[in-house]
Amino acid sequence: MARIDLDLAHSYVPHPRTDDDYALLPLRFTFEDGGAYALLGPSGCGKTTLLNCISGLLRPSHGTIAFDGRDVTGATPQARNIAQVFQFPVIYDTMTVGENLAFPLRNRGVPEAQVRERVGRVAEMLDLSSTLGRRASGLAADAKQKISLGRGLVRQDVSAILFDEPLTVIDPQLKWQLRRKLKEIHHEFRLTLIYVTHDQTEALTFADQVVVMSRGKAVQVGPADALFERPAHTFVGHFIGSPGMNFLSGQWRDGAIDVAGRRYMPPLSPSVEAALRAAGSFRIGVRPEYLQLAPERDTQAVPVQVQRAQDIGTYWLLTGTVQEAGAQAGTLRARLGAEAAGLRAGDTAWLSVFNRHTCYYVNEELVP
Ligand SMILES: Nc1ncnc2c1ncn2[C@@H]1O[C@H](COP(=O)(O)OP(=O)(O)OP(=O)(O)O)[C@@H](O)[C@H]1O
Ligand SMILES: [Mg+2]
């Protein structure tokens, strides 16, 4: 396994001029040896481009990549000693399941006793033991994809294993099991794993560190709780969570925060207060989980006009609009308990927007 240092940018066009010409904007990042990482972001944000730069399928147009301090920028995937699992199964149909799993090992001249031992282990982990003798061609798509995963996991000597949306063809129930399996395998083998997905649940359950990407940029790297509690960028607040973080416009006016024509004086640290005062206008971020119904005219609460209160089973989802001078100035969504059951469209509800979880954003960046 290896520590992977990136200091690169990539453009698919020969003479990039603007940021839009880059699939990956300049990025400096280290994947620590033995870490489990996810690259998470919407379609087209550059996840596959980054993964292919790491594996060596793509040479970055700018910068360098080093494995354990050794420059590998021009090296092939073979020379980098990388295993990669793709979205769709890559296996040999004419071989048996066992032969497919053994292939990466036999190909490198690993002694047969060791091959058998290792194939047995991996097959057991992926519930493939009973199919080892069967021809791969007759198997269903998800069984084939399990073989692809197994072929990625079977070698012990790789620098890293890269997964590009490997569970796309797997049905939801099995998906959940395999995600858990990959996590167990990571704990047992301590491999450096990098896992690409656009599914936040997949990323947050699999990885210790999630790299959230937006338009060619890594906007935040952190564990699941940091992405949830302190999104570094409004994009992360929005993208992580279901529904995502709420944002309201705020202004600093006469020593207080103005939201939709009301004054608020929440307790702020001196540095946050100074930043908000200097910025003048900013955004206030609060997650639906951290909004509660407050008494009418509560000094930390914002009144909303209820649009609807939906029973989601384990909670109620309240959607309300913030009004200013008869016009809509924002929307808030709150995850509430049974107390929301009595709310009807058109009612006024007061939501505790200012609390210890509230985040402030200037130019879309979190005020630390
Ligand atoms: N071979 C290529 N030639 C030119 N442009 C490309 C090429 N591959 C990707 N791009 C562009 O680079 C950007 C990043 O693409 P990339 O495939 O890395 O995104 P992604 O995050 O993996 O998306 P998805 O979730 O859809 O797989 C996109 O704008 C895409 O159109
Ligand atoms: Mg992709």
Side-chain angles (χ1 to χ4, degrees), residues 44 46-49 87 164-165 196:
K47 303 180 296 293
T48 296
T49 302
Q87 205 167 357
D164 197 349
E165 310 241 9
V196 163

Side-chain angles (χ1 to χ4, degrees), residues 191-348:
L191 310 165
T192 307
L193 302 183
I194 306 175
Y195 188 106
V196 163
T197 177
H198 59 262
D199 177 335
Q200 53 168 309
T201 317
E202 212 160 292
L204 298 175
T205 52
F206 168 77
D208 305 328
Q209 294 282 321
V210 179
V211 181
V212 183
M213 296 180 67
S214 168
R215 305 185 51 185
K217 215 170 146 182
V219 283
Q220 186 171 6
V221 183
D225 58 340
L227 301 178
F228 188 81
E229 294 291 335
R230 306 277 297 159
H233 192 279
T234 53
F235 173 82
V236 179
H238 202 75
F239 194 70
I240 304 276
S242 155
M245 191 175 233
N246 296 292
F247 294 100
L248 292 174
S249 300
Q251 261 84 43
W252 190 265
R253 213 164 270 156
D254 305 327
I257 293 176
D258 181 304
V259 175
R262 284 179 180 275
R263 277 168 65 82
Y264 298 92
M265 282 191 278
L268 298 172
S269 74
S271 62
V272 170
E273 185 172 326
L276 299 186
R277 178 182 298 124
S281 30
F282 45 87
R283 299 226 274 166
I284 299 150
V286 60
R287 292 218 174 261
E289 290 80 353
Y290 295 139
L291 285 172
Q292 281 175 359
L293 286 181
E296 208 169 301
R297 310 208 166 270
D298 183 293
T299 56
Q300 310 294 338
V302 171
V304 296
Q305 195 178 85
V306 174
Q307 301 266 289
R308 58 186 170 276
Q310 296 163 274
D311 183 359
I312 310 284
T314 50
Y315 63 93
W316 285 74
L317 183 64
L318 174 78
T319 306
T321 55
V322 179
Q323 304 286 325
E324 183 173 15
Q328 187 175 326
T331 300
L332 289 176
R333 290 192 179 77
R335 267 185 186 236
L336 302 173
E339 71 278 9
L343 293 170
R344 298 284 169 266
D347 288 354
T348 298

